[in-house]
Amino acid sequence: MTEDDRARAATIFDVARLAGVSHQTVSRVLNDMPNVRPATRQRVENAIKQLRYVPSPAARAMVTRRSRTIGLITTGSADYGPSSTALHFNETARDARYAVITAGLLEADAVHVRSAAELLVRQNVEAIVLIVQQRAAVEGIAGVDLGVPVVAVASEDRGVPHRVQLDQYAGSRAAVDHLAALGHRDIRHIAGPADSMDAAERLRGWFGGLAAHGLVSREPMVGDWTPASGYAHGVRLAAEGAATAVVVANDQMALGLIRAYTEAGLSVPGDLSVVGFDDIPEAEYLSPPLTTVRQDFTVLGRAAMETVLEVLGERPPEAGAVAAVSGVSLVQRGSTAPPAALAGSEIEPSHNALSRPS
C-alpha cells in the first residue's frame, strides 16, 4: 500500500489513536466545538495532518446525531443461553423503539472484539452491548474509550462499568445442595471451558457447595459445552464406577453423559444422578427427564436493554453498576435420585430456596 493509499484509508479512529483521544474528541475538533483543551485540539489537528485524514459527513455528524440504534456483539457458537438472551434483548430494544445492529464473532480475542466495536461506532450506535462468555471478549473492550457506553452481559467483573448477570454460583450451589440432600457423597463436576466466565462461576459454586456439606472435591473434568465432550467424560466415569452423582455445567454435555451411561449398560439415576444447567427446551423430554438449573434468559435480555436505557438517561438509574438478575432455579426431574446404596431409605427431599418442581 502506497502512502496515498494509507492516507485515503485513514479513519476517525486512526486519528483518535494517534492523538491519544476518543473518536468523539476528534469529532468535536472537526465540528469546531469549544469544550476541547487547546493542547488536545493541537494533538488532534497534528494527527489529522499526519494521516492526511479527510472527514466524511457522517464523521462530522457523529457527535451530535441521535440514531436510536444499539450495537450488539455476540461471540462463539449459537448456544442456547446467549442466543436466547440476545433474542429477548432485541425484543426489548424494539419495544423501546431502538434498532439493533448485531456483530456475531467466531473469534472472541481482544483484536476482533475491539474491531467489531469500532465498526459499530462508525455506524453511529448510541451504546454497545456484549453478550459473551469469554473473558478475552470483555477484556478486549474494557478500558477502550469508544465514546459510547458499553454494557456487558457477563458473570465476572472484567473492567466494563455496566454489567448484568444471572447468579451462576447460586445455581451450581443449589445443584450440589439437592444431590447432598439425596444422600450423595461423591459428587463430580464436568465444567465448561476454562476461558468461560459462566463456567468459572458454576465451578466455584460446585466447590462452595461441597465445602458447605463437608464433602471432598475431586479434580473436575473440563468439557467444551458439546454433547461429544459430555459423552467422553461419561465413558470415563462409567469405567471408574465410583461417582454416584455429577453436576454438569450445561444440558448439552449432560445429554452426552447420559448416552455414555446407557451404552455402558448403566442407568440414570440408578447408577448416577445427573444435574444439568440451562434447562434447554429438550431437557424435559430426555430419557430420563433432566434435573437442571433453569436460567431465565428472558429477564436477562430485558435487563440488558433496561441498563442501556438507564445509561442513556431514558430510565432512572438503579443503585450500583451491576444488575444481579433474579432468574435462577433448580428444576427437579427424573435424572436424580438417592444413591443405590440408600435405595429405600427415608431421605428428605431437597427444598432449598432455588428449588422448584418440573
Side-chain angles (χ1 to χ4, degrees):
M1 180 182 287
T2 67
E3 184 177 347
D4 286 342
D5 290 332
R6 284 194 295 271
R8 284 195 294 271
T11 69
I12 191 172
F13 293 98
D14 298 324
V15 175
R17 272 191 287 268
L18 182 59
V21 299
S22 72
H23 78 274
Q24 284 200 329
T25 298
V26 176
S27 294
R28 293 187 185 101
V29 172
L30 293 172
N31 286 279
D32 198 25
M33 298 179 71
N35 54 339
V36 181
R37 290 196 298 262
T40 302
R41 185 181 297 275
Q42 188 61 54
R43 289 207 313 275
V44 171
E45 290 174 348
N46 290 342
I48 290 171
K49 290 178 182 177
Q50 183 175 335
L51 294 172
R52 296 165 61 186
Y53 170 64
V54 179
S56 66
R60 288 189 179 276
M62 189 176 291
V63 77
T64 59
R65 190 173 68 237
R66 288 294 305 270
S67 66
R68 298 199 70 80
T69 303
I70 307 299
L72 173 63
I73 299 176
T74 61
T75 62
S77 60
D79 293 326
Y80 175 68
S83 61
S84 297
T85 304
L87 174 65
H88 294 291
F89 168 80
N90 274 273
E91 287 185 345
T92 309
R94 185 176 63 248
D95 291 343
R97 294 184 298 172
Y98 276 85
V100 177
I101 302 174
T102 302
L105 304 177
L106 288 176
E107 300 293 334
D109 59 89
V111 173
H112 283 86
V113 173
R114 195 175 300 124
S115 176
E118 291 183 353
L119 177 62
L120 289 170
V121 172
R122 288 189 187 104
Q123 297 181 63
N124 201 31
V125 298
E126 295 188 37
I128 291 175
V129 173
L130 299 172
I131 298 180
V132 299
Q133 291 192 23
Q134 302 91 338
R135 292 184 185 87
V138 181
E139 292 170 346
I141 205 170
V144 177
D145 187 359
L146 295 169
V148 299
V150 176
V151 175
V153 179
S155 298
E156 296 177 352
D157 180 6
R158 291 286 156 177
V160 173
H162 305 286
R163 183 165 59 92
V164 296
Q165 62 174 340
L166 292 172
D167 197 338
Q168 311 293 323
Y169 176 89
S172 191
R173 275 293 305 265
V176 175
D177 290 346
H178 168 62
L179 293 169
L182 289 173
H184 293 280
R185 294 295 174 263
D186 189 351
I187 304 172
R188 305 293 180 89
H189 184 52
I190 300 179
D195 66 344
S196 167
M197 295 176 287
D198 287 352
E201 282 298 286
R202 294 170 197 176
L203 177 62
R204 192 171 70 88
W206 174 73
F207 276 122
L210 294 181
H213 291 282
L215 302 178
V216 174
S217 60
R218 305 187 187 279
E219 184 70 21
M221 296 162 280
V222 179
D224 61 5
W225 299 131
T226 66
S229 65
Y231 178 87
H233 288 306
V235 170
R236 170 186 161 187
L237 282 174
E240 291 177 357
T244 65
V246 60
V247 177
V248 188
N250 79 334
D251 290 345
Q252 298 284 354
M253 292 192 296
L255 185 156
L257 169 67
I258 292 172
R259 170 69 178 272
Y261 262 67
T262 300
E263 289 185 355
L266 301 171
S267 73
V268 173
D271 295 293
L272 184 77
S273 284
V274 178
V275 181
F277 217 105
D278 285 339
D279 195 23
I280 61 175
E282 299 84 359
E284 187 176 358
Y285 299 96
L286 296 178
S287 182
L290 184 64
T291 295
T292 185
V293 178
R294 177 178 296 165
Q295 300 192 82
D296 193 335
F297 300 115
T298 300
V299 73
L300 182 61
R302 290 174 180 168
M305 186 59 203
E306 289 295 329
T307 302
V308 170
L309 295 175
E310 289 171 15
V311 299
L312 293 179
E314 294 193 24
R315 295 282 192 279
E318 298 288 340
V322 180
V325 178
S326 176
V328 179
S329 59
L330 180 72
V331 181
Q332 298 181 33
R333 297 193 181 108
S335 66
T336 54
L342 297 179
S345 301
E346 292 294 328
I347 297 178
E348 290 294 323
S350 173
H351 290 299
N352 65 71
L354 292 177
S355 295
R356 63 189 293 180
S358 174

